[in-house]
């Protein structure tokens, strides 16, 4: 208010002096020429930074997951198949992993159920020759009760798998939890993908991108009075259209028996979409697939450099669950 008062007083004085000066002889004060104001240069926004595997310390992660179950003894008869389904990121299924397999703590938790291995040497070690390291415990009091954790071997420093693709993944990983209550009781399979998700604003907005990917999983088949629980392998072609959000998958799956015999399992396609502003996507198996099923996935690392997907499928005789992980070529 003080400054405004002085300014008004000075203006009034100028008017009075001009009037007393006789009017027409006064030289008007020139109007200053406006000086252009430069447009400020925007400060560049830095790209997000992401943590990386192998781990520097123990860490806990939420997961994308796929799960199924069955009840009965697959070694002696047909089993009763449960539901198979997928779930986007949530804290309902989460895991803890470590950078020190023999001294660290490894946990898989689904709702209130948990398996924990603390300071226990894995049954399959973290070593360059192994794509996964595995923990397993078998009950000494309840026949057929067991729990098994399987982790992609890219989280432990100094012993990352030598597999060219899997060993190069630094933003995404996976884990599997297989457990059983008893010989004839319920068995449950949970596959989970985890890692350092891409910030949605860091994803491309145009173009189509292929990903080089690897698949792992299990299929439970119960038919003609017999049951088989086989490992799933093979290839998955992944293509993402960042302009439209469409995600296309082509599965060419194999199955391997407990005896090590590998054969073709199923070939089918799936399609989904990424909602605007999200780093996750979901979809379903397309018509003509031998199973009905769903998948859910997400992008990991800078600009969606890596990808992780879980999938689950059902037919009259089969329950299929698994993970897909990959990266841009």
């Amino acid at each position: 208010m003080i400054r405004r008062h002085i300014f008004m007083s000075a203006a009034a004085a100028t008017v009075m002096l001009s009037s007393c000066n006789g009017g027409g002889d006064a030289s008007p004060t020139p109007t200053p020429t406006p000086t252009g104001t430069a447009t400020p240069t925007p400060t560049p926004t830095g790209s997000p930074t992401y943590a990386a595997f192998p781990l520097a310390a123990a860490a806990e992660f939420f997961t994308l997951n796929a799960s199924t179950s069955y009840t009965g003894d697959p070694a002696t008869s047909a089993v009763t198949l449960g539901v198979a389904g997928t779930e986007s990121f949530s804290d309902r299924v989460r895991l803890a992993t470590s950078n020190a397999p023999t001294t660290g703590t490894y946990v898989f938790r689904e709702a209130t159920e948990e398996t924990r291995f603390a300071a226990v040497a894995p049954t399959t070690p973290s070593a360059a020759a192994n794509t996964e390291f595995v923990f397993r415990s078998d009950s000494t009091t309840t026949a057929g009760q067991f729990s098994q954790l399987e982790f992609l071997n890219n989280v432990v420093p100094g012993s990352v798998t030598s597999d060219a693709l899997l060993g190069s993944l630094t933003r995404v990983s996976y884990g599997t939890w297989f457990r059983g209550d008893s010989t004839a009781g319920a068995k449950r399979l949970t596959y989970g993908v985890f890692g350092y998700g891409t910030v949605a604003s860091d994803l491309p907005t145009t173009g189509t991108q292929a990903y080089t990917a690897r698949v792992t999983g299990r299929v439970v088949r119960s038919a003609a009075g017999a049951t088989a629980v086989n490992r799933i392998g093979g290839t998955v072609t992944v293509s993402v259209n960042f302009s439209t959000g469409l995600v296309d998958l082509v599965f060419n799956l194999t199955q391997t028996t407990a005896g090590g015999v590998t054969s073709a399992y199923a070939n089918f396609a799936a399609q989904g979409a990424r909602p605007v502003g999200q780093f996750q996507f979901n979809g379903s198996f397309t018509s003509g697939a031998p199973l009905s099923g769903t998948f859910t996935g997400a992008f990991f690392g800078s600009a969606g450099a890596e990808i992780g997907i879980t999938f689950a499928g059902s037919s009259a005789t089969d329950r299929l669950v698994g993970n897909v992980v990959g990266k841009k070529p």
Side-chain angles (χ1 to χ4, degrees), residues 222-294:
S222 185
T227 301
V229 182
N230 294 336
R231 294 267 188 171
I232 289 294
T235 62
V236 178
T237 301
V238 181
S239 178
V240 178
N241 187 323
F242 285 105
S243 301
T244 64
L246 285 179
V247 179
D248 287 291
L249 310 177
V250 178
F251 291 85
N252 296 284
L253 302 181
T254 61
Q255 59 180 339
T256 302
T257 67
V261 178
T262 299
S263 61
Y265 173 65
N267 299 329
F268 58 93
Q271 187 176 76
R274 177 179 69 90
V276 175
Q278 298 291 320
F279 78 106
Q280 300 184 64
F281 52 86
N282 54 73
S284 58
F285 299 177
T286 58
S287 59
L291 307 94
S292 60
T294 59

Side-chain angles (χ1 to χ4, degrees), residues 158-194:
S159 57
V160 169
T161 177
S162 58
D163 182 278
L165 173 61
L166 298 178
S168 68
L169 299 176
T170 58
R171 304 291 192 259
V172 67
S173 192
Y174 69 73
T176 304
W177 185 16
F178 190 15
R179 65 272 195 205
D181 295 339
S182 64
T183 300
K187 283 78 175 176
R188 295 170 296 284
L189 273 164
T190 303
Y191 278 74
V193 167
F194 63 95

Side-chain angles (χ1 to χ4, degrees), residues 51-253:
F53 299 120
L55 293 169
E60 182 178 12
F61 297 89
F62 294 170
T63 71
L64 299 161
N65 64 85
S67 62
T68 193
S69 64
Y70 62 92
T71 301
D73 183 3
T76 60
S77 63
V79 300
T80 302
L81 298 172
V83 174
T86 55
E87 183 180 33
S88 297
F89 271 116
S90 77
D91 63 353
R92 195 186 72 83
V93 179
R94 59 189 189 271
L95 59 83
T97 184
S98 172
N99 59 334
T102 58
T103 60
T105 299
Y106 293 79
V107 182
F108 228 114
R109 182 179 179 88
E110 181 173 345
T112 59
E113 183 186 9
E114 178 183 285
T115 289
R116 179 181 298 261
F117 289 88
V120 176
T123 53
T124 300
S126 175
N130 299 328
T131 57
E132 298 178 350
F133 61 97
V134 181
F135 296 91
R136 183 180 173 95
S137 66
D138 291 276
S139 174
T140 57
T141 58
T142 302
Q145 186 180 78
F146 70 94
S147 188
Q148 181 167 308
L149 304 185
E150 304 160 0
F151 290 94
L152 174 60
N153 189 25
N154 70 334
V155 300
V156 179
S159 57
V160 169
T161 177
S162 58
D163 182 278
L165 173 61
L166 298 178
S168 68
L169 299 176
T170 58
R171 304 291 192 259
V172 67
S173 192
Y174 69 73
T176 304
W177 185 16
F178 190 15
R179 65 272 195 205
D181 295 339
S182 64
T183 300
K187 283 78 175 176
R188 295 170 296 284
L189 273 164
T190 303
Y191 278 74
V193 167
F194 63 95
Y196 305 104
T198 304
V199 175
S201 60
D202 190 31
L203 285 170
T205 56
T206 61
T208 298
Q209 178 67 57
Y211 286 82
T212 303
R214 191 74 58 82
V215 60
T216 182
R218 282 182 175 87
V219 59
V220 183
R221 169 167 288 179
S222 185
T227 301
V229 182
N230 294 336
R231 294 267 188 171
I232 289 294
T235 62
V236 178
T237 301
V238 181
S239 178
V240 178
N241 187 323
F242 285 105
S243 301
T244 64
L246 285 179
V247 179
D248 287 291
L249 310 177
V250 178
F251 291 85
N252 296 284
L253 302 181

